Amino acid sequence: MNKLILIDGSGIAYRAFFALPLLNNDKGVYTNAVYGFTTMLMKIIEEEKPSHVLVAFDAGKTTFRHKTYKEYKGTRQKTPPELSEQFSFIHELLDAMGIKRYEIENYEADDIIGTLAVQAEKEGFETKVVTGDKDLLQLVDDHVTVSLTRKGITDVDDYDKEKVYERYEITPDKIIDLKGLMGDSSDNIPGVQGVGEKTAIKLLKQFGSIEDIYQSLEDVSGKKLKEKLENDREKAFLSKELATIEKHAPIDVKLDDLQYEYKVTSELIDLFKDLEFKTLLERVGFDEVISEDAEEETLEFEMVTEVNEQHLASPSALVVEVLEDNYHYADIVGLALANEKGRFYIPTETALNSSIFKEWLADANQKKIVFDGKKSIVSLKWRDIDINGVTFDIQMASYLIDPSESSHDLSAIAKRKHIKFVYSDDAFYGKGAKRVIPEGEKLGDHLIRKAEAMLKCQPLLKEELENNEQYSLFAELEMPLSLVLAEMEEKGVKISKETLESMGEELREKLEQKQKDIYELAGTSFNINSPKQLGEVLFEKLNLPVIKKTKTGYSTSADVLEKLESEHDIISEILDYRQLGKLNSTYIEGLLKVIHPKTGKIHTRFNQALTQTGRLSSTDPNLQNIPIRLEEGRKIRKAFIPSKQDWMMFSADYSQIELRVLAHIANDESLIEAFEHEMDIHTKTAMDVFGVDKEDVTSLMRRHAKAVNFGIVYGISDYGLSQSLNITRKEAGAFIDRYLESYPGVKQYMEDIVQKAKQDGFVTTLLHRRRYLPDITSRNFNRRSFAERTAMNTPIQGSAADIIKKAMIHMAKRLKDERMQANMLLQVHDELIFEAPKDEIDKLKTIVPDVMENAVKLKVPLKVDFSFGDTWYDAK
DNA sequence: AGGCACACGC
DNA sequence: GACGTACGTGTGCCTC
């Protein structure tokens, strides 16, 4: 069976251009439209496996339609030059892929597609049209489907006859009538003034076509509507004509010319390389290992059988190869060094049994350059081996220079520095099921390449940090912090298995009961955990009103269910079921699964090089999202206990650190004063925003003020605020405006920071952390708005992250200096959790707030609250 | 294996 | 006038 794909090249390129940020390659050529176009094209080809393909383009400015109506597409803005320059690459790309492209004077891409679709239908082809333009739906037929791009670029909706009818309640051949009536502002097609989609469909359903409507005009209900139709009679017919695709355009391509066979040519590889489409290179199976770049260069190295002075030097790049993500007691595959004396591969046994090597590792004067040093440090800690002198972490440097860089893996960083002899781990070892770990020379070669690349990258990254005024952030904050985090991770948190298990049993009983109740109320049994099945039960069987839809069906999210609570008793049961189910699966069963067999503790990993704001994240398990807001969930914290008898848990958190940071950086008088007097900040905000005295602040006013403060801290939009308060967007916008009027310093800051971001291309925090915001100049309103909010928010959230990180370093030092046994265990963004012997608690009560409050000096005081108890739950 | 919907924390 | 809107992690479902 012949299968033909017809692509609206101009339309897809436009879509891609506006959907993606303005990427460019290192020659400064814009590539976003080419990239989007290519991913779209490859996806379609992979999925459909066509026998014939054609990409049609619009040619020139005028078409035969302009003769009929010279204002046709008159409101179109000129194609931005950033897009125009990309068309030549798209042409090159298609040629390299062996895909036919075609354009013809006086006709649009639509007409070429229409003409070929008709021919293909006659010849018994299956045809698929890919476009972003709903007009093409008129081509849908028994053997012609149309794929419309949804938001984004690779997402499409496939329309066959049934789907068109489902969506528009008319047959595809009536799409032109629909457009004739409703017009199209983007093509400047007038239509009938005052008739939109709803009315047009109603008319077409009743009468058939535009011709039919005008024939029976007197039967149209509604005087006004009749008048409108009469007034714009000519425009209606003209619009229909303009919307009609020409199916007999004088094209000189034949279906036979469009034959297509999938192949990856060297031209295509070269083009992808030029454009720097790395993921696409991988996708077409271009293997980095066999890339000539890497293979060209052979690097000499020695395979060490016994470590001696000849191998050791300072500084050295040190590789401790651990392949598992979870490095807690993972295997060490091998080690490698690169330094002024050479390159050395040291097999694991050789290294870890060598006292010379271990002494060198422990020697703080022997400087080590590492990549993800915390991973190396913790892996060795589990074997009771200490490393000191870790002064430069390549991954950390890359993260600080640009946290948005999609991969901070070594081969990517090295390539950015034009070092090409290193392979990525995925390429070398293979990923997933295909992973093979070679031995001997081959492994050694890979590891010394990494070490050599690190050694070479180090001075370049150091220079970049210095140029960015980030070297002290790197050397005095993040590097020392990684050692503190390594200790916290290795120490772990004791957890009571028994407590979790008994809570789990209780939960499961409740869940079973709830499940029974729900089945009874529903009158059927189904999988409550399946949003799809749940949606069917609620909205089809029980006929509850549909409040929100997701792209795959009905939304059953908590905010939707809450609105339905009064409609049916089943809703609150489902909400309960969800809550309990979450507790059981994520927190009870999830935590039980990650108790370390050797220690009986939980050892999380803090990712220190991930978030865009500078916060940490926590995985395997995530200990930064243990429930607290609802009592049932909060009880999970009872399972977190001290690791020793007669010890206690101690928790300390910054009070309103983000808003204090805001008061400081915005230098807002009123906000500073509020904090100096230790006022309840949400009440104070309510007073200022609503213009009332303290006594007259109602709880609703305080709740709204709190949400506004929340919004300021997290950079949410008026829409986000409206969602959280269940008010209209307008009201939310008004709140934000009033807030900014009440705090002119904040308003000024918000304006200045956006301005500065536009000027510099990035924003910074208190300690010079950076976040680049390329979208700040985007023509796309959404992208720009988001970038603006990010510009306002990142210095606030990021500076707060800087402060607690600094406090952690001071805290670790203070505990050592004071020779205390207490352990710092966790950080949860504005909170530190410790365990300590009971007799140290009094001391902690003094030193923890002291250290945290004095981590930095701001224009407002920092305030720390603390508490302690037998479990994390009791430390509240 | 990967996406989606959902839910937890800050 | 619509767009689709804090960040992170983990779970179960569902499709491929």
Side-chain angles (χ1 to χ4, degrees):
Chain A
M1 161 92 83
N2 283 323
K3 188 164 197 180
L4 168 67
I5 305 269
L6 295 168
I7 296 170
D8 170 12
S10 308
I12 299 295
Y14 257 90
R15 280 263 164 175
F17 180 73
F18 287 107
L20 300 173
L22 258 185
L23 312 160
N24 53 10
N25 70 359
D26 69 0
K27 294 172 202 89
V29 178
Y30 292 113
T31 57
N32 61 333
V34 194
Y35 183 79
F37 185 92
T38 314
T39 49
M40 167 91 208
L41 184 64
M42 286 176 55
K43 183 164 178 253
I44 292 282
I45 286 174
E46 277 165 20
E47 278 173 8
E48 303 293 333
K49 305 194 180 8
S51 56
H52 296 66
V53 184
L54 174 115
V55 180
F57 290 93
D58 299 334
K61 273 206 191 86
T62 57
T63 67
F64 70 90
R65 289 185 180 84
H66 289 87
K67 282 184 197 144
T68 326
Y69 182 59
K70 64 177 186 305
E71 287 84 14
Y72 180 64
K73 293 201 173 174
T75 50
R76 280 280 168 96
Q77 289 206 332
K78 215 173 151 289
T79 306
E82 295 89 343
L83 172 58
S84 315
E85 67 183 47
Q86 295 188 51
F87 275 102
S88 61
F89 288 107
I90 293 178
H91 294 165
E92 257 185 72
L93 172 95
L94 292 169
D95 296 346
M97 290 177 83
I99 291 174
K100 185 85 181 166
R101 58 188 165 88
Y102 191 70
E103 56 183 62
I104 175 170
E105 289 274 313
N106 280 327
Y107 291 85
E108 295 180 56
D110 295 6
D111 304 310
I112 301 170
I113 291 173
T115 305
L116 282 164
V118 168
Q119 289 181 14
E121 177 111 40
K122 273 191 211 142
E123 309 256 335
F125 281 47
E126 282 296 322
T127 302
K128 175 176 274 244
V129 174
V130 184
T131 177
D133 189 348
K134 292 185 184 66
D135 278 12
L136 279 115
L137 289 176
Q138 65 185 276
L139 299 175
V140 170
D141 210 333
D142 290 334
H143 301 285
V144 180
T145 59
V146 170
S147 295
L148 280 184
T149 55
R150 243 187 339 214
K151 62 167 189 220
I153 177 74
T154 51
D155 250 14
V156 292
D157 278 329
D158 290 329
Y159 283 86
D160 55 15
K161 275 180 156 177
E162 286 72 36
K163 183 79 186 286
V164 172
Y165 197 80
E166 202 179 291
R167 166 67 180 78
Y168 291 101
E169 303 172 74
I170 53 174
T171 50
D173 59 305
K174 296 290 186 306
I175 292 285
I176 47 179
D177 298 276
L178 176 64
K179 196 141 168 203
L181 291 171
M182 61 185 278
D184 182 340
S185 59
S186 72
D187 287 346
N188 202 25
I189 293 181
V192 175
Q193 185 77 45
V195 172
E197 186 179 313
K198 290 265 158 62
T199 316
I201 287 175
K202 198 185 82 192
L203 288 167
L204 293 171
K205 273 170 75 177
Q206 191 184 347
F207 297 98
S209 65
I210 288 194
E211 288 77 6
D212 298 332
I213 294 169
Y214 279 97
Q215 265 187 5
S216 338
L217 201 55
E218 60 279 9
D219 297 338
V220 171
S221 59
K223 200 170 133 215
K224 275 242 171 82
L225 180 57
K226 224 176 285 180
E227 262 172 41
K228 287 179 194 161
L229 286 165
E230 249 162 52
N231 284 340
D232 283 341
R233 178 189 288 260
E234 271 173 43
K235 281 189 181 154
F237 283 97
L238 171 71
S239 298
K240 177 172 173 176
E241 189 188 336
L242 290 170
T244 304
I245 289 172
E246 173 59 56
K247 290 176 182 161
H248 302 283
I251 58 171
D252 55 7
V253 279
K254 297 185 194 59
L255 285 171
D256 270 354
D257 304 337
L258 310 183
Q259 285 192 25
Y260 169 78
E261 198 182 345
Y262 180 85
K263 57 178 178 293
V264 179
T265 61
S266 60
E267 288 86 19
L268 186 66
I269 299 286
D270 288 345
L271 189 61
F272 280 181
K273 277 191 195 164
D274 274 354
L275 295 167
E276 296 167 13
F277 290 173
K278 290 171 197 116
T279 49
L280 293 180
L281 274 171
E282 268 176 46
R283 198 155 140 190
V284 297
F286 183 76
D287 196 334
E288 276 190 84
V289 177
I290 55 153
S291 95
E292 50 284 22
D293 288 338
E295 197 117 286
E296 252 168 35
E297 216 169 332
T298 50
L299 299 185
E300 301 288 322
F301 69 97
E302 180 188 336
M303 199 158 144
V304 175
T305 46
E306 194 177 349
V307 184
N308 62 48
E309 288 302 321
Q310 292 311 306
H311 307 126
L312 305 173
S314 174
S316 284
L318 166 69
V319 173
V320 180
E321 187 78 335
V322 173
L323 292 181
E324 285 101 314
D325 282 335
N326 193 336
Y327 46 70
H328 289 297
Y329 220 83
D331 285 334
I332 294 177
V333 173
L335 296 91
L337 292 179
N339 54 41
E340 58 180 17
K341 293 175 180 166
R343 308 184 192 103
F344 308 100
Y345 160 54
I346 318 174
T348 311
E349 293 305 306
T350 311
L352 304 191
N353 292 324
S354 159
S355 50
I356 295 178
F357 186 65
K358 285 194 277 191
E359 270 168 38
W360 179 82
L361 283 178
D363 187 347
N365 293 319
Q366 296 293 312
K367 306 294 183 218
K368 285 104 186 165
I369 297 160
V370 294
F371 182 91
D372 192 358
K374 180 154 64 66
K375 184 174 188 175
S376 306
I377 292 168
V378 175
S379 306
L380 289 170
K381 252 184 205 290
W382 281 102
R383 290 161 179 80
D384 281 324
I385 297 168
D386 285 328
I387 325 183
N388 290 302
V390 174
T391 51
F392 202 100
D393 190 324
I394 301 285
Q395 186 188 45
M396 186 62 65
S398 166
Y399 167 69
L400 293 180
I401 289 164
D402 187 355
S404 73
E405 198 63 68
S406 56
S407 67
H408 297 290
D409 70 68
L410 179 59
S411 75
I413 296 167
K415 290 218 171 72
R416 289 202 280 278
K417 300 290 167 201
H418 306 104
I419 294 166
K420 293 178 176 169
F421 54 69
V422 63
Y423 313 132
S424 79
D425 286 333
D426 281 346
F428 181 76
Y429 296 108
K431 47 188 157 188
K434 286 186 230 150
R435 172 148 286 191
V436 188
I437 302 163
E439 284 177 14
E441 291 269 330
K442 209 170 168 204
L443 175 66
D445 180 63
H446 177 56
L447 299 190
I448 62 96
R449 279 172 191 269
K450 292 217 256 189
E452 182 67 23
M454 286 154 60
L455 196 64
K456 286 247 161 61
C457 283
Q458 189 268 341
L460 303 171
L461 293 168
K462 184 176 183 200
E463 193 190 338
E464 230 177 316
L465 288 168
E466 282 166 346
N467 290 341
N468 288 355
E469 298 184 317
Q470 290 185 302
Y471 192 70
S472 73
L473 169 70
F474 172 82
E476 285 160 38
L477 193 84
E478 300 292 1
M479 288 305 299
L481 181 69
S482 72
L483 307 183
V484 173
L485 292 172
E487 279 180 28
M488 292 163 65
E489 293 176 6
E490 194 245 1
K491 183 64 71 179
V493 193
K494 183 79 182 170
I495 196 143
S496 164
K497 206 173 163 188
E498 296 71 33
T499 307
L500 283 181
E501 276 166 353
S502 78
M503 287 170 79
E505 236 162 87
E506 214 176 295
L507 273 175
R508 277 190 295 280
E509 273 170 35
K510 280 193 196 164
L511 275 168
E512 265 172 49
Q513 187 55 48
K514 289 272 168 213
Q515 187 186 47
K516 252 202 234 153
D517 294 348
I518 290 168
Y519 290 166
E520 230 162 82
L521 284 161
T524 175
S525 56
F526 62 101
N527 185 345
I528 307 167
N529 283 324
S530 160
K532 190 167 157 246
Q533 294 183 32
L534 179 61
E536 282 161 16
V537 169
L538 293 182
F539 304 111
E540 286 171 19
K541 188 155 191 307
L542 300 178
N543 275 321
L544 294 171
V546 178
I547 294 191
K548 198 165 80 185
K549 283 197 144 195
T550 67
K551 54 180 161 180
T552 48
Y554 309 107
S555 168
T556 65
S557 63
D559 62 309
V560 168
L561 296 186
E562 273 158 24
K563 294 194 174 88
L564 293 171
E565 242 178 321
S566 59
E567 302 273 342
H568 202 290
D569 290 342
I570 198 171
I571 301 294
S572 63
E573 300 293 315
I574 290 167
L575 284 166
D576 285 354
Y577 182 89
R578 280 247 181 94
Q579 194 204 338
L580 299 175
K582 172 78 178 175
L583 290 179
N584 190 46
S585 66
T586 304
Y587 296 106
I588 302 290
E589 287 171 10
L591 287 173
L592 282 169
K593 256 186 262 175
V594 291
I595 296 178
H596 201 289
K598 298 232 162 38
T599 61
K601 293 181 180 179
I602 287 188
H603 303 267
T604 186
R605 278 149 35 233
F606 290 105
N607 196 333
Q608 198 186 348
L610 184 135
T611 70
Q612 301 303 302
T613 54
R615 278 185 170 183
L616 301 174
S617 76
S618 154
T619 47
D620 259 348
N622 181 353
L623 293 183
Q624 291 182 321
N625 72 344
I626 302 301
I628 188 161
R629 282 179 35 252
L630 300 171
E631 177 56 25
E632 281 121 310
R634 191 175 199 151
K635 288 204 169 72
I636 301 281
R637 294 178 175 227
K638 285 181 194 276
F640 289 80
I641 55 176
S643 63
K644 297 197 176 78
Q645 280 277 307
D646 295 320
W647 281 39
M648 293 183 99
M649 303 298 281
F650 185 97
S651 145
D653 66 295
Y654 281 109
S655 160
Q656 300 298 347
I657 187 167
E658 282 99 350
L659 291 174
R660 286 171 200 260
V661 167
L662 173 63
H664 172 83
I665 51 184
N667 203 7
D668 186 283
E669 246 174 74
S670 172
L671 214 47
I672 292 176
E673 201 198 301
F675 283 121
E676 272 168 353
H677 294 96
E678 285 306 336
M679 297 172 76
D680 174 315
I681 195 63
H682 303 314
T683 304
K684 163 75 174 155
T685 304
M687 288 161 60
D688 293 338
V689 168
F690 297 104
V692 296
D693 290 338
K694 192 171 165 190
E695 298 71 39
D696 299 326
V697 173
T698 63
S699 64
L700 182 75
M701 283 154 96
R702 188 176 180 281
R703 191 170 74 85
H704 281 193
K706 191 174 172 180
V708 175
N709 279 329
F710 179 86
I712 297 290
V713 167
Y714 288 115
I716 64 173
S717 57
D718 51 358
Y719 173 85
L721 182 63
S722 74
Q723 291 292 298
S724 65
L725 285 176
N726 232 331
I727 56 177
T728 67
R729 218 175 103 175
K730 224 173 165 180
E731 290 167 324
F735 270 138
I736 295 174
D737 289 343
R738 263 147 77 190
Y739 177 93
L740 293 174
E741 275 160 36
S742 309
Y743 299 100
V746 174
K747 187 174 184 192
Q748 188 65 44
Y749 157 74
M750 298 294 183
E751 285 164 8
D752 293 349
I753 194 77
V754 168
Q755 214 33 55
K756 183 132 178 59
K758 282 201 176 117
Q759 205 179 87
D760 301 340
F762 60 86
V763 290
T764 56
T765 66
L766 216 55
L767 300 185
H768 299 191
R769 191 182 303 284
R770 257 184 203 203
R771 183 169 186 184
Y772 288 89
L773 300 167
D775 279 350
I776 199 101
T777 54
S778 170
R779 293 168 310 280
N780 177 317
F781 173 81
N782 284 325
R783 307 188 83 93
R784 192 176 61 249
S785 307
F786 183 43
E788 286 169 359
R789 296 203 303 276
T790 310
M792 303 176 206
N793 157 254
T794 297
I796 303 174
Q797 211 187 108
S799 298
D802 293 349
I803 293 170
I804 194 166
K805 282 177 167 179
K806 197 160 176 212
M808 290 170 76
I809 296 167
H810 292 177
M811 200 62 235
K813 181 167 187 305
R814 185 76 175 267
L815 290 176
K816 274 198 187 98
D817 288 351
E818 308 250 356
R819 302 191 187 289
M820 292 175 70
Q821 291 175 271
N823 296 312
M824 182 156 56
L825 300 176
L826 297 173
Q827 186 249 50
V828 192
H829 308 309
D830 66 353
E831 179 185 10
L832 295 176
I833 292 117
F834 304 82
E835 59 171 11
K838 276 184 178 150
D839 57 15
E840 282 187 6
I841 294 291
D842 271 344
K843 201 163 174 186
L844 284 184
K845 281 154 73 172
T846 322
I847 67 170
V848 174
D850 178 46
V851 167
M852 288 173 74
E853 286 173 359
N854 295 305
V856 293
K857 184 110 197 79
L858 302 184
K859 291 171 192 136
V860 290
L862 287 174
K863 185 168 171 257
V864 169
D865 298 317
F866 62 83
S867 58
F868 52 90
D870 290 330
T871 71
W872 191 5
Y873 176 90
D874 301 296
K876 64 176 173 186

